[in-house]
Amino acid sequence: MAAGGFWQGIADTLKIRTDKPKLVRAQVSALSRQIPVLYMLLLANAVALAYTHYGSAPDWMTVYGVIVLGVICVVRAVSWNRAKVDIDDFGMCVKHLRRIRILAVLISVLFTLWAVTMFEYGDAYQRGHVAYFISITVVGCIFCLINFPSAAMLVVGIVLGSFVLFFGTSDNEVYVAIAVNMALVSLMIIQIIRSYYANFAGLIETQDDLEVQHQEIMELSRANEALALIDPLTGLSNRRAFFAILEDVVDAAQEHETFAVAMIDLDGFKPVNDVHGHPAGDELLQQAGERLRTILGPDTLLARLGGDEFGVLLRGYESAMALMALGKKLCDDLNRPFMLNGVTVQVSASLGFATYPAVSRTPNGLFERADFALYHAKNNARGEAVLFAARHETLIRHDSRIEQALRKADLSSELKLHYQPVFDLGTGKVNSLEALARWDNVQMGPISPGTFFPVAEKTGQVGFLTRVLFEKLMIDMADWPEELSVSFNLSARDIVLSDTVEWLIEEIRGHGIDPGRVTFEVTETAFLRDFDAARASIGYLRDHGARIALDDFGIGYSSLRYVHELEFDVLKVDRSFVAPLVHNERSRRIVKTVIDMCQNLGIDCVLEGIENANQRDVLIDLGGQLMQGYFFARPGRAIRLDTLEDLHTQ
């Protein structure tokens, strides 16, 4: 088995490995550099041997024979130097190897016959030169052909084999010893050729494997790069891709070219996510993306920017009217009910447009103005599309002025608290006060809280305002009767930050105030931002004795759900239900339902926005007791604890 394996290995070494194209190409590439050297080596050694035998051997051997051999070597060396072997042509590479193998046999036979014939002439030194010629030439040829063992081993077999036979059959013991030595050396040379070739072939195979791995890594990298630009949930482009493409489009924009950026937001997505679970929310986003893609087509850039917000890049629109018509179509389609795992849910969509170059020539400018148009739509035209216009630029500049004023102002001195009482119509006395922020800026004058608070929240400054105002409240409460309580508004940002609510409790304790005298008012936007964090904060405040009121009750998407899952001490019915109730039976029924619900739950119900006696009387008939509004008292800096009787006699 071992001998069979050895000879099988020899047979495999002699083959041209047509099953391994990369190996064949590597062999041809190496030989194209080495074979010219081989021919020069043969020529140099032949000239040296002819020189030492000149005069001893016939001229046809030492002169003409060398000339013939030299011409052959020079022609072949020059042809190899000039040849431009196309190693990409596998078929041509195989032909080259076969030609090399044939020429190796022919040249080996030719030089061997010449050398053996030369051995018959000259003295012992000249004959020793023949043996040296054979050994040094064979070794040189093997080094030149070692990348192609098929040819190298043929050279060994023909040249060394011939001389082993030639010396071994002589009667001279020295020649016989040389023959034995050559035979042993031949076996070692064959083993060296096989070992080198195995390493060479292994190296090519390793390079091939590395190249394959490199290609796989490159493909994986390209795939990952593509995935990095895709939103995994919807399969749409993601935020990174959207801004990269938008920047490229702006940079490449031609003169008079127009395009538009649209921002789309789903109104009511968060409640769907909270009530029906995240899988339902994910499915809603997927279906919303499909609806948008169906309308916009495959060539329009549509991206999910995060959460329930989508971005669109519209190129080649005809006019502002066409843009608004498309916006209405997108909003109307998203306003249709969604079927999520057998449950029907309905949300609405608001949309903001910004056009290039009319409103901005930069990617950030377009995005910011589209986002502002979306913000304006959500606050003033929910469920509709808004096109950014000059008046919006005025609002942005106004908000920017307010932002800068907030940053530069001495808020500790400029901010004030005014207080509006909440009356208990059962007793005619003040039940509590609501603290309302007022800002009189040195440069801009009085600024409405409805104007500066949204800017402060948007720019992250609202936390500082909260702390300044609450410290002022604590100072004011020190001079109030101990039984008088007050309500204080917290922003959506405040209620989801644990360090803020912890600070509020520390302030109350630090000023020696009973926490039960403080009611913190929160709106539904706090729960839409982060329900779990808001719930934890409410729990912390109540656990430490403070009361919690849900402000603007009834105008959100899922107020009843919050009443069910969270513990509130007070519900404040929004003024939008109070204003029409004198002439609107439906409003009266809604308010009556809320009043009865609060009585059943054992919580206070405060009715806001009472502006006339008719509204008051209707609310009394419906069972209302705690009321607040301009009809009773306007907000003021001074604390007045007048009873209703006192107010009526004034």
Side-chain angles (χ1 to χ4, degrees):
M1 289 293 291
F6 173 78
W7 291 111
Q8 181 62 45
I10 294 292
D12 290 341
T13 306
L14 291 172
K15 291 180 180 177
I16 296 175
R17 298 302 301 269
T18 55
D19 58 325
K20 295 186 176 181
K22 288 187 179 294
L23 176 59
V24 169
R25 292 188 177 100
Q27 287 176 309
V28 173
S29 178
L31 290 170
S32 65
R33 297 186 299 272
Q34 294 162 194
I35 285 183
V37 178
L38 180 149
Y39 283 116
M40 292 300 99
L41 174 68
L42 285 173
L43 178 59
N45 288 346
V47 170
L49 185 60
Y51 175 77
T52 59
H53 281 73
Y54 182 73
S56 299
D59 289 348
W60 68 267
M61 294 183 66
T62 58
V63 179
Y64 305 116
V66 171
I67 291 174
V68 172
L69 294 176
V71 169
I72 293 173
C73 290
V74 170
V75 169
R76 292 303 303 162
V78 171
S79 65
W80 267 99
N81 272 328
R82 290 182 175 179
K84 302 298 182 182
V85 182
D86 184 6
I87 62 173
D88 292 329
D89 188 340
F90 176 66
M92 187 60 68
C93 288
V94 172
K95 287 182 180 179
H96 274 292
L97 292 182
R98 287 173 178 165
R99 186 182 299 115
I100 291 169
R101 188 165 59 183
I102 293 171
L103 289 172
V105 171
L106 294 176
I107 292 174
S108 296
V109 170
L110 188 60
F111 272 83
T112 301
L113 289 174
W114 181 70
V116 169
T117 305
M118 191 77 75
F119 190 80
E120 299 296 329
Y121 301 94
D123 55 20
Y125 292 107
Q126 291 170 315
R127 290 184 176 184
H129 190 190
V130 173
Y132 175 77
F133 167 79
I134 294 167
S135 59
I136 196 66
T137 303
V138 167
V139 170
C141 291
I142 288 169
F143 273 115
C144 291
L145 295 171
I146 198 165
N147 299 106
F148 187 26
S150 178
M153 292 176 69
L154 284 172
V155 171
V156 172
I158 293 171
V159 178
L160 292 183
S162 298
F163 273 91
V164 167
L165 184 63
F166 177 74
F167 288 136
T169 56
S170 70
D171 295 331
N172 190 308
E173 292 182 357
V174 175
Y175 291 162
V176 172
I178 291 174
V180 173
N181 182 244
M182 281 188 173
L184 294 175
V185 169
S186 298
L187 291 175
M188 287 186 289
I189 288 175
I190 290 172
Q191 187 57 35
I192 290 171
I193 292 171
R194 291 185 61 206
S195 177
Y196 179 86
Y197 174 69
N199 292 333
F200 177 73
L203 177 62
I204 298 303
E205 189 170 348
T206 300
Q207 289 177 341
D208 189 26
D209 291 341
L210 289 174
E211 186 175 343
V212 170
Q213 291 178 15
H214 177 70
Q215 290 298 325
E216 290 176 349
I217 291 172
M218 291 298 292
E219 290 176 6
L220 183 61
S221 176
R222 285 191 289 268
N224 288 336
E225 186 176 349
L227 288 175
L229 300 175
I230 297 296
D231 173 51
L233 177 62
T234 62
L236 303 174
S237 298
N238 62 13
R239 189 182 190 90
R240 176 183 172 189
F242 181 80
F243 282 102
I245 295 174
L246 175 59
E247 185 171 351
D248 290 343
V249 170
V250 170
D251 290 342
Q254 302 294 319
E255 190 72 20
H256 306 304
E257 183 177 358
T258 60
F259 51 86
V261 171
M263 301 289 294
I264 305 170
D265 186 83
L266 300 181
D267 305 313
F269 168 75
K270 188 68 165 62
V272 171
N273 214 33
D274 292 339
V275 173
H276 300 288
H278 291 293
D282 290 346
E283 187 177 351
L284 174 58
L285 291 174
Q286 291 169 346
Q287 291 188 27
E290 290 171 0
R291 291 187 186 184
L292 292 172
R293 174 58 71 205
T294 300
I295 295 174
L296 295 170
D299 298 329
T300 299
L301 175 61
L302 170 63
R304 180 184 172 222
L305 304 181
D308 59 340
E309 193 172 63
F310 297 86
V312 181
L313 177 59
L314 295 162
R315 308 185 70 174
Y317 66 90
E318 296 178 358
S319 63
M321 293 293 291
L323 209 57
M324 292 301 292
L326 176 61
K328 184 178 187 307
K329 187 175 182 181
L330 292 171
C331 291
D332 288 347
D333 204 49
L334 292 175
N335 291 345
R336 291 189 296 106
F338 290 85
M339 183 64 69
L340 309 177
N341 296 323
V343 178
T344 301
V345 301
Q346 187 160 8
V347 297
S348 62
S350 299
L351 185 151
F353 282 119
T355 57
Y356 176 96
V359 302
S360 179
R361 292 178 176 268
T362 67
N364 285 339
L366 286 168
F367 176 78
E368 289 172 359
R369 282 155 179 77
D371 191 49
F372 186 88
L374 171 63
Y375 174 79
H376 189 80
K378 291 174 71 69
N379 286 283
N380 300 279
R382 188 179 290 267
E384 298 180 11
V386 170
L387 177 63
F388 189 91
R391 59 191 177 88
H392 298 130
E393 191 71 46
T394 302
L395 292 174
I396 286 181
R397 290 173 182 169
H398 182 253
D399 285 356
S400 178
R401 287 183 61 205
I402 292 175
E403 179 185 350
Q404 294 303 315
L406 282 170
R407 295 187 188 281
K408 297 177 181 178
D410 180 7
L411 295 175
S412 297
S413 62
E414 293 183 11
L415 284 174
K416 298 289 188 297
L417 283 175
H418 286 200
Y419 300 97
Q420 185 177 28
V422 176
F423 284 95
D424 183 340
L425 270 68
T427 63
K429 297 181 179 180
V430 173
N431 173 268
S432 61
L433 300 174
E434 180 179 3
L436 301 170
R438 295 292 184 265
W439 181 27
D440 191 358
N441 182 248
V442 174
Q443 295 181 338
M444 301 179 66
I447 303 174
S448 165
T451 299
F452 70 80
F453 261 108
V455 174
E457 184 148 14
K458 204 172 184 180
T459 57
Q461 298 169 280
V462 71
F464 180 70
L465 268 65
T466 297
R467 297 192 179 218
V468 170
L469 291 168
F470 196 72
E471 287 179 352
K472 291 179 177 292
L473 174 64
M474 294 294 97
I475 294 171
D476 287 346
M477 289 186 71
D479 298 327
W480 295 355
E482 291 186 359
E483 68 275 8
L484 183 61
S485 61
V486 66
S487 62
F488 183 84
N489 291 279
L490 293 180
S491 72
R493 183 181 177 85
D494 293 329
I495 199 63
V496 298
L497 296 177
S498 59
D499 56 344
T500 298
V501 296
E502 290 171 3
W503 178 85
L504 291 170
I505 294 299
E506 290 175 2
E507 281 294 299
I508 293 173
R509 288 175 173 173
H511 286 82
I513 304 295
D514 177 8
R517 294 176 60 196
V518 181
T519 300
F520 291 104
E521 295 189 15
V522 296
T523 62
E524 284 191 37
T525 55
F527 311 117
L528 293 176
R529 179 187 287 263
D530 190 334
F531 180 81
D532 293 333
R535 176 165 55 185
S537 295
I538 287 173
Y540 182 87
L541 293 172
R542 295 189 85 253
D543 289 344
H544 287 80
R547 286 159 49 90
I548 304 296
L550 179 59
D551 198 10
D552 299 335
F553 178 75
I555 63 172
Y557 285 94
S558 51
S559 297
L560 287 177
R561 181 237 174 169
Y562 298 140
V563 173
H564 172 70
E565 294 194 18
L566 303 171
E567 294 186 48
F568 292 106
D569 302 286
V570 182
L571 290 186
K572 300 191 74 174
V573 179
D574 187 72
R575 65 185 67 244
S576 62
F577 292 98
V578 173
L581 60 78
V582 174
H583 305 289
N584 191 310
E585 177 63 26
R586 187 177 182 83
S587 295
R588 289 196 293 272
R589 291 179 180 178
I590 291 174
V591 172
K592 173 62 175 174
T593 300
V594 175
I595 292 172
D596 291 344
M597 179 185 70
C598 290
Q599 290 176 347
N600 293 332
L601 293 175
I603 61 179
D604 292 338
C605 178
V606 176
L607 300 154
E608 297 182 297
I610 315 302
E611 296 184 354
N612 55 60
N614 291 333
Q615 291 174 341
R616 177 202 61 188
D617 295 341
V618 172
L619 289 172
I620 292 174
D621 292 340
L622 295 175
Q625 186 169 342
L626 300 178
M627 301 185 194
Q628 177 184 10
Y630 285 179
F631 175 72
F632 301 105
R634 291 178 175 271
R637 177 67 191 142
I639 303 300
R640 298 182 59 182
L641 302 179
D642 299 324
T643 65
L644 289 174
E645 184 177 347
D646 294 334
L647 291 173
H648 293 156
T649 58
Q650 291 178 9

